[in-house]
């Protein structure tokens, strides 16, 4: 297991399979071999099959994970894996396609998220090549400079439209109507009978030794999942109408439009320090919620105009086609008491984007920085205070919200000058911190996160990963689980000392902005993947929903778009006449909204796909 295929990945688990055949029969030579084996089957005691081994077994999984075995159970698994590697020290995945017909294995999920599996960090002796060199780390293909590149590109392929529009064919093979019976035979998809659910009635075997032998045989052959479907699975809706056409500039011709969609100037000149774009169409009020430095907020209605952009006769000057409509109470300067948070904050607090969180339904705003060491919940409709939450021993300095579950439930994290963080649960049903409406005055945090010895100034939480990443005033950044366990510290290079902004993706990459224009990209396992310095005092950062793109803005008033993995610049917008204080993306990732120091918001067109295409052509 020391070398991998030298060609560009096509998602072997869910991409190569898309030709209506299983992983074991991906070329005509192999297909002919397995067809002949099935048709000339002579064993009367065993039903015919195309493959004697399975596409997923415990042994092959352990084989793949040999280099990180110490993190699993070294005493139990290491001897087995050493034997496996001794039998096949030069395993190359290309044999699945071109060579050894006894290898029908698919890649395991770790190929798409765990670069550590390719590095022999434990220093195990894994055998010797024919040229007498020791096997150590996995030799990667030329297109991957490091394990992180290999995993990232594999995952991009797996999540691509090419795979999405054919995914139903893989489902048919593994879970559907081609798993068993005549359709499985036609699809060259018949495995050893012991791999199928219900093939053997273990309860009917009375001989203990025979039963133990049968169970061991079943385990060694692997297991086919339960058959869930007996009819073809419908194809997934995909943005690719013709899945096999390569990308070309023509795909983007309707997207070559001006950068700025609109500018919205609020009557107040107070800097817009927080922007939350919760624009999903199913919301009661799709809106861009803004909060200024003077704590005047606005619920600006969102109009979904994406379908109109680029259409014949479309004009950005037509107001009813603009995506954002200013909050009428703010525009008309009426009912300002419904939009002003008047409760006193601690005088030493600097109002930044970290001081606010807007719930996913736009109905509530959470605010911190109050002198009484609380953070508070306000209705965005009435401006009224609905809940006061205590828990810290000093002023609360920052808040963050995780992605929401169905129903609007999510995690809220509060950081404080007391050097701790508290993890809370927001109930979308009851619109309170905590899940007991009868005890909303005294909610209890789900976890207490410790480890900092200074004021916490920035935090990010990801429910999908179950992680909280936080930064102290003079560092370091810490990674906790949502149950409160401290996993590790993220130590930046020399002079990368004072974290100010954090953004984490569901893929496990953490972008940290330090003072003086310094950026780092860490894996959640603590590896520094990339670093850069920019000539700007950055005030806002965000990652695209897929985690591949980083958007930054700061005092220079320039929005820049970067490739998150290596900080290669993808696009730079023309400079604005004021500094940028906050930003967010619409749900469809097509519009960027920035909050400006001049008291306005600017909506930009975003086209990540085009920029990646142009970047690939340049390099």
């Amino acid at each position: 297991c020391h070398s991998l295929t030298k060609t560009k990945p096509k998602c072997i688990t869910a991409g190569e399979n898309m030709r209506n055949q299983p992983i074991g029969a991906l070329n005509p030579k192999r297909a002919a071999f397995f067809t002949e084996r099935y048709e000339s089957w002579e064993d009367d005691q065993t039903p015919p099959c195309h493959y004697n081994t399975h596409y997923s077994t415990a042994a092959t999984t352990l084989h793949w994970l040999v280099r990180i075995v110490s993190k699993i159970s070294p005493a139990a698994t290491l001897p087995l894996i050493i034997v496996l590697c001794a039998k096949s020290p030069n395993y190359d995945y290309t044999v699945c396609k071109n060579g050894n017909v006894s290898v029908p294995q698919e890649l395991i999920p770790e190929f798409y998220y765990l670069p550590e599996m390719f590095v022999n960090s434990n220093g195990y002796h894994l055998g010797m090549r024919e040229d007498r060199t020791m096997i150590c780390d996995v030799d990667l293909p030329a297109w991957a400079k490091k394990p992180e590149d290999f995993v990232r590109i594999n995952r991009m392929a797996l999540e691509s439209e090419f795979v999405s529009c054919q995914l139903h064919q893989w489902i048919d093979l593994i879970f559907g109507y081609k798993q068993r019976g005549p359709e499985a035979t036609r699809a060259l998809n018949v495995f050893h009978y012991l791999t199928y659910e219900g093939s053997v009635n273990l309860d009917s075997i009375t001989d203990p030794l025979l039963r133990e032998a049968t169970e061991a045989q079943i385990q060694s052959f692997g297991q086919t999942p339960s058959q869930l479907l007996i009819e073809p699975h419908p194809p997934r809706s995909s943005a690719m109408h013709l899945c096999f056409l390569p990308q070309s500039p023509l795909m983007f011709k309707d997207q070559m439009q001006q950068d700025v969609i609109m500018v919205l100037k609020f009557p107040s000149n107070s800097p817009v320090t927080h922007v939350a774009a919760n624009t999903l169409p199913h919301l009661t009020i799709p809106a861009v919620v803004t909060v200024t430095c003077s704590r005047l907020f606005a619920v600006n209605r969102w109009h979904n105009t994406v379908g109109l952009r680029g259409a014949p006769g479309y004009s950005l000057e037509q107001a009813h086609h603009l995506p954002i409509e200013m909050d009428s109470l703010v525009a008309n300067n009426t009912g300002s008491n419904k939009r002003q948070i008047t409760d006193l904050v601690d005088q030493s607090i600097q109002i930044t984007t970290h001081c606010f969180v807007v719930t996913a339904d736009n109905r509530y705003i959470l605010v911190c920085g109050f002198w009484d060491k609380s953070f508070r919940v306000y209705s965005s409709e009435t401006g009224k205070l609905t809940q006061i939450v205590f828990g810290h021993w000093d002023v609360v300095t920052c808040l963050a919200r995780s992605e929401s579950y169905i129903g609007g439930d999510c995690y809220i994290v509060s950081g404080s000058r007391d050097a701790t963080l508290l993890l809370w649960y927001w109930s979308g049903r009851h619109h309170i911190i905590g899940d007991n409406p009868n005890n909303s005055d005294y909610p209890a945090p789900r976890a207490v996160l410790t480890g900092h010895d200074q004021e916490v100034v920035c935090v990010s939480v990801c429910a999908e990963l179950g992680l909280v990443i936080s930064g102290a005033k003079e560092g370091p950044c810490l990674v906790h689980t949502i149950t409160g366990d401290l996993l590790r510290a993220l130590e930046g290079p020399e002079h990368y000392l004072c974290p100010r902004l954090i953004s984490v993706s569901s893929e496990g990459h953490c972008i940290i902005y330090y003072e003086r224009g310094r950026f780092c990209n860490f894996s959640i396992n603590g590896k520094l993947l990339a670093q850069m310095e920019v000539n700007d005092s950055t005030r806002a950062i965000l990652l695209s929903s897929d985690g591949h793109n980083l958007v930054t803005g700061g005092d220079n008033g320039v929005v820049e778009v970067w490739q998150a993995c290596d900080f290669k610049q993808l696009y730079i917008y023309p400079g604005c006449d004021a500094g940028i204080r906050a930003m967010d993306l619409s749900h469809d990732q097509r519009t960027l909204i920035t909050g400006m120091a001049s008291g306005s918001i600017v909506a930009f067109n975003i086209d990540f796909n085009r920029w990646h295409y142009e970047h690939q052509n340049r390099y």
Side-chain angles (χ1 to χ4, degrees):
C1 187
H2 80 277
S3 64
L4 294 165
T5 175
K6 297 295 188 281
T7 56
K8 205 74 169 181
K10 297 181 181 177
C11 278
I12 297 186
T13 302
E16 291 279 16
N17 283 10
M18 300 308 177
R19 300 168 185 166
N20 289 314
Q21 293 176 322
I23 194 71
L26 292 181
N27 62 42
K29 181 179 178 181
R30 290 171 62 87
F33 175 88
F34 290 120
T35 300
E36 182 181 357
R37 169 190 279 180
Y38 186 89
E39 292 176 349
S40 60
W41 194 266
E42 296 180 353
D43 187 348
D44 295 334
Q45 303 300 316
T46 305
C49 62
H50 293 106
Y51 317 101
N52 288 324
T53 56
H54 202 253
Y55 51 78
S56 178
T57 68
T60 54
T61 299
L62 292 175
H63 192 167
W64 290 122
L65 300 178
V66 57
R67 291 168 175 81
I68 57 170
V69 64
S70 65
K71 299 175 183 177
I72 305 172
S73 177
T77 57
L78 186 55
L80 170 62
I81 297 181
I82 296 300
V83 171
L84 289 170
C85 288
K87 290 182 178 179
S88 180
N90 296 317
Y91 186 89
D92 188 321
Y93 197 79
T94 55
V95 299
C96 290
K97 295 175 60 183
N98 306 320
N100 189 345
V101 293
S102 67
V103 182
Q105 278 80 34
E106 290 193 343
L107 300 189
I108 59 176
E110 284 79 3
F111 269 79
Y112 302 94
Y113 73 84
L114 191 65
E116 287 79 7
M117 68 178 281
F118 304 106
V119 180
N120 188 14
S121 57
N122 296 303
Y124 292 138
H125 296 287
L126 301 175
M128 186 178 294
R129 295 185 175 99
E130 293 179 357
D131 62 1
R132 309 296 294 172
T133 60
M134 298 299 295
I135 296 174
C136 188
D137 296 343
V138 172
D139 292 337
L140 297 172
W143 47 264
K145 296 181 180 179
K146 53 189 178 181
E148 289 76 18
D149 290 340
F150 182 80
V151 168
R152 176 178 58 83
I153 295 171
N154 259 326
R155 184 158 177 163
M156 288 176 66
L158 184 66
E159 300 291 348
S160 69
E161 292 292 344
F162 179 85
V163 171
S164 293
C165 66
Q166 301 177 81
L167 189 61
H168 61 289
Q169 298 184 37
W170 178 78
I171 295 173
D172 289 339
L173 287 168
I174 306 301
F175 301 100
Y177 79 109
K178 293 181 180 179
Q179 185 196 94
R180 302 188 184 199
E183 292 293 341
T185 303
R186 279 192 283 270
L188 304 182
N189 195 41
V190 180
F191 293 84
H192 194 281
Y193 79 101
L194 287 179
T195 68
Y196 293 96
E197 185 179 43
S199 60
V200 176
N201 184 2
L202 292 174
D203 294 334
S204 66
I205 302 176
T206 57
D207 185 338
L209 293 178
L210 180 58
R211 176 174 177 140
E212 183 179 351
T214 304
E215 288 177 341
Q217 192 175 21
I218 291 173
Q219 290 176 357
S220 66
F221 276 123
Q223 288 288 280
T224 300
S226 299
Q227 186 176 24
L228 304 179
L229 305 166
I230 58 174
E231 295 180 353
H233 192 283
R236 173 184 165 182
S237 296
S238 171
M240 291 184 68
H241 300 295
L242 297 174
C243 297
F244 300 100
L245 290 179
Q247 285 186 331
S248 71
L250 292 177
M251 294 180 65
F252 306 110
K253 65 183 179 66
D254 289 336
Q255 300 169 18
M256 302 286 285
Q257 42 194 291
Q258 64 190 72
D259 291 321
V260 177
I261 303 171
M262 63 178 297
V263 178
L264 203 62
K265 181 69 174 71
F266 295 108
S268 165
N269 291 321
S270 181
V272 177
T273 56
H274 188 79
V275 175
N278 297 309
T279 59
L280 285 166
H282 72 263
L283 294 175
T284 305
I285 306 177
V288 176
V289 178
T290 57
V291 189
T292 70
C293 192
S294 60
R295 291 171 294 139
L296 180 71
F297 67 89
V299 183
N300 309 287
R301 186 174 289 274
W302 172 263
H303 300 291
N304 187 11
T305 63
V306 170
L308 299 172
R309 296 182 206 169
Y314 171 69
S315 170
L316 285 173
E317 284 72 32
Q318 293 175 301
H320 62 282
H321 284 172
L322 296 178
I324 306 171
E325 178 185 348
M326 186 183 295
D327 188 328
S328 59
L329 294 182
V330 173
N332 301 326
N333 200 23
T334 59
S336 58
N337 60 314
K338 293 184 177 182
R339 294 292 183 261
Q340 181 70 55
I341 298 169
T342 57
D343 296 339
L344 295 176
V345 297
D346 189 278
Q347 292 184 351
S348 63
I349 285 290
Q350 182 179 3
I351 301 297
T352 67
T353 189
H354 296 124
C355 294
F356 308 97
V357 157
V358 178
T359 58
D361 58 5
N362 294 317
R363 296 179 62 183
Y364 293 88
I365 302 174
L366 285 66
V367 186
C368 71
F370 297 101
W371 62 273
D372 63 357
K373 307 162 190 174
S374 71
F375 69 91
R376 307 186 179 193
V377 182
Y378 296 86
S379 165
S380 63
E381 181 181 358
T382 65
K384 291 184 177 179
L385 176 66
T386 62
Q387 190 179 17
I388 302 177
V389 181
F390 293 99
H392 287 283
W393 294 94
D394 207 334
V395 174
V396 180
T397 51
C398 55
L399 295 172
R401 173 175 74 81
S402 74
E403 65 275 30
S404 293
Y405 298 105
I406 295 175
D409 292 2
C410 63
Y411 290 115
I412 300 291
V413 179
S414 57
S416 170
R417 283 183 180 161
D418 66 11
T420 69
L421 301 109
L422 298 180
L423 183 85
W424 310 84
Y425 197 78
W426 172 263
S427 170
R429 177 184 178 187
H430 302 296
H431 309 298
I432 58 170
I433 294 288
D435 43 22
N436 184 0
N438 298 321
N439 192 32
S440 61
D441 291 338
Y442 304 100
R446 291 287 181 93
V448 180
L449 284 54
T450 60
H452 290 295
D453 56 11
Q454 294 177 325
E455 169 185 347
V456 180
V457 295
C458 52
V459 62
S460 182
V461 55
C462 179
E464 184 174 343
L465 297 176
L467 295 177
V468 177
I469 296 93
S470 57
K473 189 172 184 178
E474 296 181 9
C477 291
L478 301 181
V479 182
H480 289 84
T481 67
I482 56 175
T483 57
D485 297 322
L486 175 60
L487 296 180
R488 63 186 53 85
L490 302 177
E491 298 283 358
E494 188 179 4
H495 306 307
Y496 285 58
L497 300 175
C498 301
R500 292 296 177 262
L501 301 166
I502 298 176
S503 185
V504 61
S505 74
S506 59
E507 290 188 356
H509 287 201
C510 180
I511 306 294
I512 301 175
Y513 169 73
Y514 299 83
E515 280 188 344
R516 302 180 185 274
R518 296 175 173 131
F519 284 84
C520 284
N521 179 5
F522 293 93
S523 75
I524 56 171
N525 290 325
K527 183 176 180 180
L528 177 61
L529 304 176
Q531 64 188 83
M532 73 168 175
E533 294 189 21
V534 299
N535 186 27
D536 193 3
S537 180
T538 302
R539 299 296 192 99
I541 66 174
L542 61 84
L543 285 166
S544 58
S545 60
D546 59 10
H548 296 160
N549 310 282
L550 171 69
V551 186
T552 66
D555 289 346
N556 290 350
V558 177
V559 174
E560 295 178 86
V561 183
W562 315 82
Q563 193 165 266
C565 62
D566 54 11
F567 293 138
K568 295 288 179 63
Q569 190 177 79
L570 297 178
Y571 196 72
I572 181 169
Y573 286 90
C576 300
D577 58 1
I580 295 165
R581 293 292 179 267
M583 60 174 61
D584 202 3
L585 281 166
S586 60
H587 71 280
D588 59 7
Q589 308 287 287
R590 295 284 300 276
T591 307
L592 173 74
I593 302 98
T594 61
M596 312 301 294
S598 58
S600 60
I601 58 174
V602 180
F604 296 89
N605 276 310
I606 284 279
D607 198 338
F608 294 127
N609 290 334
R610 174 167 62 92
W611 296 332
H612 273 288
Y613 174 81
E614 293 172 349
H615 175 77
Q616 289 169 357
N617 281 353
R618 286 197 301 268
Y619 300 99

